[in-house]
Amino acid sequence: MGSGEWHVEKRSTLRNDSFVKESGSAPETGCLSIVVLGASGDLAKKKTFPALFNLYRQGFLNPDEVHIFGYARTKLSDEELRDRIRGYLVDQKNADALSKFLQLIKYVSGPYDSEEGFQRLDRAISEHEISKNSSEGSSRRLFYLALPPSVYPSVCKMIKTCCMNKSDLGGWTRIVVEKPFGKDLDSAEQLSSQIGELFDESQIYRIDHYLGKELVQNMLVLRFANRFFLPLWNRDNIENVQIVFREDFGTEGRGGYFDEYGIIRDIIQNHLLQASIPDIIFIYLQVLCLVAMEKPISLKPEHIRDEKVKVLQSVVPITDEEVVLGQYEGYRDDPTVPDDSNTPTFATTILRIHNERWEGVPFILKAGKALNSRKAEIRIQFKDVPGDIFRCQKQGRNEFVIRLQPSEAMYMKLTVKQPGLEMQTVQSELDLSYGQRYQGVSIPEAYERLILDTIKGDQQHFVRRDELKVESCCVGDLYAVAAQD
Ligand SMILES: NC(=O)C1=CN([C@@H]2O[C@H](COP(=O)(O)OP(=O)(O)OC[C@H]3O[C@@H](n4cnc5c(N)ncnc54)[C@H](OP(=O)(O)O)[C@@H]3O)[C@@H](O)[C@H]2O)C=CC1
Ligand SMILES: O=C1O[C@H](COP(=O)(O)O)[C@@H](O)[C@H](O)[C@H]1O
């Protein structure tokens, strides 16, 4: 390879071979049925079906093996469902792939709590399996719950009663559930128990799609494959860590869902921490874990998740003084939001981690909807240089910034000599912007990657039950503050 050239391996080779070797699980083949429950909804059309289409057109879903089923209460024909989602499937230019993909989709309408509907769904899946497996073989059934969490227990019960894979020769049944996983510790535990009575932990994939974002997936590599960071990543060198999520749009008709959960559960608990504050804060806990955790003993999912749990267990209870909540003007104008709603759409809080590495370092989490820009980033701010000899100028701090979106990038802010005859300092950047450095490489959408992981049985980027419990504990204080206000 010439200088300046680089080589991108196919994703399947990149991670999975090493992972499969470590975990000892063999790649699986055979008939695959993917069932999207809540197929009439917002998530299904915006994220789930587009991710499935992208996997299909890149060759990750074999048309000889796969069939996709939509299930929801709304009465629709197969063609009506296809028409609803067609506009969200990107590669409109590749009409052939698009129409072949749409033909793989069938729709079954039924309630979420009646065996009759799920028996019809089971028959549709079985017909597909029989048509694909001329001789009996392993069959794989993936149920994706693109639904409000309130219906998870009944849907899981129906799947267990009516729709499990029947092959004695292998295969599996897996369940993907979306956050928020409950509203507080009690409801999270209750939901976990209800689902846990029906399925093994190895069958349950709790999805937080921020864990599928390229730069979040890069965190372990950055931290543990670079000598640069190893000695600096601690309380001796780091002043604070900021994890920020801003959206420049509001609830847009999702108020019915959002108002019940709020920004803490929507984002902070899930994506940023995966604990339990307004929906936005939920997102942040997982990201925080990746920034703060110790090196796992291997890349095995259980080893990584063990280290994340330790971080969450070390989070100190949040105090009222370190929480600010707000609601954007106009939120209550959304017809799906109650006129007297007090639900926060903005939250900022400080988390403190009581361990040897992080004692005294504030982790500042900020998340908000309908702000003036859209951005998600992790900003590591370093301490000032001791004994600064450039006193004439106020030196900027060193910062390491990981921008998750938009335009994935990471850059280091550092002080250099201003070019010229004078000895003056100036802040500059070492910049790795993905758009420039990896031109022509398409970065997979988070959901693509995570759905592929569920098919491969890799739970590394999903939330384990005990992680969820500790998360809910650590943000429980935040919920309490939100409830007071
Ligand atoms: N939308 C998004 O961008 C994202 C959503 N999520 C998560 O995905 C899940 C689904 O979200 P989303 O698609 O936005 O939600 P929707 O409100 O669009 O609900 C999805 C479907 O569920 C059914 N449904 C809605 N409300 C109820 C109810 N009260 N009881 C029973 N069924 C109901 C409806 O189908 P029908 O009436 O036809 O049965 C609806 O089409 C949530 O857990 C959310 O947190 C996660 C990340 C992003
Ligand atoms: O889970 C959610 O995430 C989206 C933001 O996802 P992004 O990948 O587009 O950044 C957020 O809008 C939504 O409220 C929340 O439920």
Side-chain angles (χ1 to χ4, degrees):
M1 236 183 299
S3 88
E5 285 179 44
W6 46 274
H7 170 69
V8 178
E9 285 183 75
K10 251 190 112 180
R11 193 152 29 108
S12 55
T13 322
L14 244 178
R15 196 191 55 224
N16 291 307
D17 281 0
S18 56
F19 168 70
V20 165
K21 268 182 219 134
E22 284 213 21
S23 68
S25 56
E28 294 169 85
T29 54
C31 185
L32 172 63
S33 304
I34 301 174
V35 184
V36 181
L37 298 129
S40 55
D42 190 69
L43 176 75
K45 74 178 177 213
K46 284 191 192 151
K47 308 259 194 198
T48 320
F49 284 115
L52 291 172
F53 176 52
N54 284 341
L55 289 175
Y56 171 80
R57 66 191 180 94
Q58 292 172 79
F60 288 106
L61 297 181
N62 180 347
D64 294 332
E65 296 176 346
V66 76
H67 222 108
I68 298 168
F69 298 87
Y71 184 93
R73 296 171 305 184
T74 306
K75 300 247 176 292
L76 295 172
S77 64
D78 293 347
E79 213 41 53
E80 282 168 331
L81 175 66
R82 292 172 191 152
D83 287 344
R84 271 187 184 219
I85 61 175
R86 194 186 307 269
Y88 293 88
L89 307 181
V90 270
D91 196 356
Q92 301 285 340
K93 281 183 237 140
N94 192 343
D96 190 37
L98 183 62
S99 82
K100 283 188 179 143
F101 172 77
L102 289 171
Q103 287 313 309
L104 295 175
I105 301 175
K106 295 232 169 309
Y107 183 74
V108 178
S109 157
Y112 298 117
D113 54 1
S114 108
E115 290 191 11
E116 190 273 322
F118 281 83
Q119 281 161 354
R120 272 188 293 111
L121 176 63
D122 182 58
R123 278 199 293 279
I125 300 172
S126 298
E127 275 166 26
H128 152 66
E129 289 172 348
I130 291 162
S131 77
K132 297 275 165 162
N133 293 329
S134 41
S135 62
E136 207 183 354
S138 65
S139 77
R140 297 170 291 163
R141 294 185 172 193
L142 181 66
F143 292 89
Y144 190 110
L145 274 59
L147 286 165
S150 51
V151 288
Y152 292 174
S154 70
V155 167
C156 287
K157 190 156 175 259
M158 290 300 124
I159 294 170
K160 181 75 183 187
T161 314
C162 308
C163 298
M164 300 296 283
N165 79 310
K166 296 180 184 58
S167 172
D168 295 334
L169 299 175
W172 41 254
T173 302
R174 291 181 187 146
I175 311 291
V176 182
V177 291
E178 273 287 348
K179 55 95 211 157
F181 315 112
K183 289 185 176 173
D184 50 27
L185 178 58
D186 287 347
S187 58
E189 269 298 279
Q190 195 190 3
L191 191 58
S192 293
S193 307
Q194 285 166 328
I195 300 178
E197 277 165 21
L198 301 166
F199 300 103
D200 290 342
E201 187 63 21
S202 65
Q203 296 177 291
I204 304 168
Y205 290 72
R206 297 182 193 85
I207 209 165
D208 170 354
H209 75 280
Y210 265 59
L211 288 183
K213 297 215 182 247
E214 182 67 31
L215 288 200
V216 174
Q217 298 230 328
N218 204 356
M219 276 307 298
L220 290 189
V221 183
L222 268 180
R223 284 199 51 204
F224 300 118
N226 290 294
R227 186 84 203 198
F228 277 148
F229 294 120
L230 295 176
L232 295 182
W233 210 263
N234 54 44
R235 63 193 298 265
D236 298 331
N237 299 289
I238 292 178
E239 179 70 24
N240 64 66
V241 176
Q242 300 168 27
I243 306 179
V244 175
F245 171 97
R246 298 165 191 273
E247 251 178 6
D248 55 2
F249 55 89
T251 46
E252 298 187 341
R254 288 178 69 221
Y257 152 73
F258 186 87
D259 198 70
E260 204 184 330
Y261 291 93
I263 196 79
I264 300 174
R265 294 178 186 93
D266 191 38
I267 302 289
I268 295 194
Q269 176 178 355
N270 287 283
H271 307 329
L272 301 191
L273 182 84
Q274 274 185 337
S276 191
I277 314 168
D279 197 12
I280 298 238
I281 296 197
F282 202 53
I283 295 180
Y284 285 18
L285 292 187
Q286 280 296 329
V287 176
L288 175 132
C289 287
L290 292 170
V291 174
M293 67 191 247
E294 297 301 315
K295 189 181 199 163
I297 55 176
S298 82
L299 285 180
K300 282 187 183 165
E302 295 320 313
H303 292 155
I304 294 172
R305 299 199 290 182
D306 287 347
E307 291 305 330
K308 289 204 228 159
V309 167
K310 287 186 205 158
V311 173
L312 293 167
Q313 284 170 332
S314 308
V315 172
V316 175
I318 297 162
T319 60
D320 290 12
E321 304 79 59
E322 295 193 330
V323 180
V324 176
L325 299 173
Q327 186 185 80
Y328 68 83
E329 225 180 296
Y331 173 67
R332 296 178 196 176
D333 299 342
D334 182 331
T336 56
V337 170
D339 291 344
D340 57 352
S341 168
N342 245 352
T343 300
T345 63
F346 174 88
T348 181
T349 186
I350 299 178
L351 292 194
R352 296 177 190 276
I353 300 172
H354 179 60
N355 67 16
E356 199 175 336
R357 186 183 289 275
W358 296 116
E359 188 75 57
V361 179
F363 283 73
I364 303 162
L365 311 184
K366 282 187 206 167
K369 285 194 167 278
L371 299 175
N372 55 1
S373 60
R374 174 173 177 260
K375 189 182 276 187
E377 68 177 24
I378 305 163
R379 190 170 286 263
I380 319 283
Q381 212 168 62
F382 288 85
K383 295 193 171 192
D384 290 333
V385 174
D388 173 25
I389 54 170
F390 304 100
R391 273 180 228 153
C392 46
Q393 304 257 317
K394 173 83 188 98
Q395 232 181 288
R397 276 193 174 142
N398 286 149
E399 285 185 356
F400 177 47
V401 183
I402 300 157
R403 190 163 68 224
L404 311 180
Q405 64 188 33
S407 313
E408 292 87 349
M410 58 186 92
Y411 55 93
M412 284 184 192
K413 288 174 87 166
L414 67 175
T415 304
V416 296
K417 178 186 164 301
Q418 168 99 53
L421 292 175
E422 309 269 331
M423 175 49 87
Q424 285 194 351
T425 59
V426 69
Q427 275 243 300
S428 192
E429 281 118 36
L430 289 174
D431 185 357
L432 174 58
S433 289
Y434 275 41
Q436 277 179 349
R437 183 69 182 85
Y438 300 118
Q439 283 176 29
V441 176
S442 79
I443 295 180
E445 278 294 320
Y447 275 100
E448 267 172 61
R449 204 188 301 259
L450 295 175
I451 292 174
L452 193 58
D453 283 349
T454 61
I455 296 169
K456 293 189 163 150
D458 180 350
Q459 290 188 309
Q460 180 180 167
H461 303 294
F462 295 81
V463 185
R464 203 170 58 185
R465 181 171 174 175
D466 57 339
E467 277 182 86
L468 177 62
K469 182 171 177 185
V470 202
E471 277 177 11
S472 300
C473 287
C474 38
V475 287
D477 313 294
L478 202 44
Y479 291 135
V481 179
Q484 280 164 27
D485 288 354

